[in-house]
Amino acid sequence: MSRSRLPGTRWWTEAEIERDTGDAREEFRRRRLGEPLQRYLTAFEATEPEVADLLAGLDKLLAGGPDAEARLQALWASEIGRTAFRYLGAPPISEDDLETLAETRLSSQAARAGPGQAERLLSVMRVIIDPRRFPWIAGRRAAGDAEWRAATLATSSLIASQRIQTLRRGDEKAAVEGAVKGLLIGMGWQAARTRPPRGVQKLVTDAPAMRTFLTQANLGADNADVIVRLDDGRLLAVECKGSNSELNSRKRLNKEAVHNARAWLAGFGAEQVVPAVALQGVFKARYVAEAQDTPMAVFWSHRLDDLREFIASAR
């Protein structure tokens, strides 16, 4: 790949990238090991009552008919209820897949549009329902108390665990984004008082004023987490990415962040925009090196002094 650099940014060697991915991984481990168990228990307790209610009448729900339609409508009124329905599957079915297979939307109104909508949702679940967790459904019999309790526990645990995984990914991103904004404010930059309604489409008219920054705003057609007006007039467009695994890091970094960086460079040019990524969590060193080759500037939440130095030097 081309070893081109962005003006003023530091180019990290393979050894330096290996060092920083290792340090970031160790910090991630410390955060995870220090995470309170209560977070999972709270998610479990919020989920279990809805799951227990769903499983108590699961055979009647899957049988269909007017009573089942009414039950599904009641279930669909809450986000937890809709999630519990998806988690009956083996494995749990995603929102996108269920929408495609049932040919309906998963909004709170989806099951209220008539018998056809409810029946489409139920027909999908009859095919994919987990026979291990719900053996009484496959056996066409009533559930035993022990079976019902075990299925309630397993399903609630699945949902709570996934919720924590989702929150963790958001935590990593939110933490690094907050750190970047905190650094900017500490350096004397301010959040822009006005926001262009369509984001930054033309630098002359839409770019934030000197020593200000925008958050969650479009730069061209693609969203940037933080857009900073540097002292030399260029825009620093930062994607803040958190990852909990090397596999996940490829999507967050090499697909999402790199896609945006290429679009910004093509639309505005390296003399006007500096694409960058701020990372926290677990990233594969090779993926970081590939992202740098885009080119884009790479910063780490545990080494934000590098970002401070770059901003201070851009004069």
Side-chain angles (χ1 to χ4, degrees):
M1 289 186 178
S2 169
R3 302 295 286 180
S4 61
R5 293 176 172 85
L6 295 163
T9 64
R10 180 169 176 177
W11 190 269
W12 303 102
T13 66
E14 291 183 5
E16 288 171 330
I17 291 173
E18 289 282 0
R19 175 203 66 199
D20 282 324
T21 53
D23 290 346
R25 182 189 295 270
E26 286 305 307
E27 289 206 353
F28 176 86
R29 291 183 69 252
R30 286 194 290 271
R31 287 194 300 276
R32 284 294 177 267
L33 291 173
E35 183 177 66
L37 177 62
Q38 187 58 46
R39 196 178 195 187
Y40 165 81
L41 295 176
T42 298
F44 183 93
E45 290 163 4
T47 301
E48 187 182 28
E50 192 87 44
V51 171
D53 186 48
L54 170 60
L55 299 191
L58 183 57
D59 51 348
K60 295 179 181 178
L61 175 66
L62 293 176
D67 290 344
E69 292 162 16
R71 178 69 185 92
L72 192 63
Q73 289 176 11
L75 188 72
W76 234 244
S78 73
E79 188 273 335
I80 292 179
R82 297 192 295 277
T83 300
F85 183 82
R86 291 192 297 104
Y87 273 71
L88 298 176
I93 188 170
S94 69
E95 289 188 7
D96 289 344
D97 283 356
L98 183 54
E99 285 184 345
T100 299
L101 294 175
E103 297 183 301
T104 189
R105 301 292 296 172
L106 294 190
S107 67
S108 60
Q109 306 298 321
R112 301 181 184 179
Q117 293 285 71
E119 182 54 32
R120 281 197 288 272
L121 290 163
L122 293 172
S123 66
V124 172
M125 194 52 65
R126 292 184 191 113
V127 173
I128 68 170
I129 193 165
D130 189 339
R132 296 293 187 181
R133 275 184 291 149
F134 314 112
W136 67 91
I137 299 298
R140 299 179 181 276
R141 57 177 174 79
D145 287 345
E147 290 176 322
W148 175 80
R149 287 195 296 271
T152 299
L153 174 63
T155 305
S156 301
S157 181
L158 278 172
I159 296 172
S161 296
Q162 184 56 50
R163 285 182 179 276
I164 295 303
Q165 291 292 337
T166 300
L167 288 172
R168 283 173 171 175
R169 288 193 293 272
D171 285 350
E172 296 295 322
K173 175 180 170 60
V176 69
E177 186 174 331
V180 169
K181 289 189 288 188
L183 180 146
L184 289 168
I185 292 169
M187 294 182 69
W189 265 254
Q190 297 180 343
R193 294 184 178 181
T194 60
R195 297 174 62 89
R198 296 175 55 245
V200 179
Q201 302 302 319
K202 295 182 179 180
L203 300 188
V204 172
T205 57
D206 300 331
M210 299 298 293
R211 292 228 157 197
T212 68
F213 64 91
L214 291 167
T215 58
Q216 298 302 324
N218 272 14
L219 179 55
D222 298 282
N223 183 78
D225 292 320
V226 184
I227 301 175
V228 187
R229 183 69 175 268
L230 299 171
D231 284 340
D232 63 11
R234 290 180 297 167
L235 294 186
L236 173 66
V238 186
E239 285 285 85
C240 299
K241 296 297 180 183
S243 170
N244 59 5
S245 73
E246 289 188 345
L247 180 62
N248 177 262
S249 74
R250 184 171 184 271
K251 177 183 179 183
R252 301 294 170 220
L253 182 56
N254 300 72
K255 292 186 177 181
E256 297 173 359
V258 165
H259 166 83
N260 287 358
R262 287 174 177 162
W264 296 331
L265 289 171
F268 300 98
E271 293 184 355
Q272 299 188 89
V273 171
V274 182
V277 65
L279 305 176
Q280 178 169 302
V282 181
F283 288 85
K284 190 177 183 67
R286 177 164 63 87
Y287 298 157
V288 177
E290 290 173 355
Q292 182 174 238
D293 276 325
T294 305
M296 67 190 307
V298 175
F299 303 102
W300 293 90
S301 66
H302 66 277
R303 290 176 56 89
L304 279 184
D305 277 349
D306 297 323
L307 177 58
R308 184 193 306 277
E309 290 173 8
F310 169 70
I311 294 173
S313 68
R315 297 181 180 277

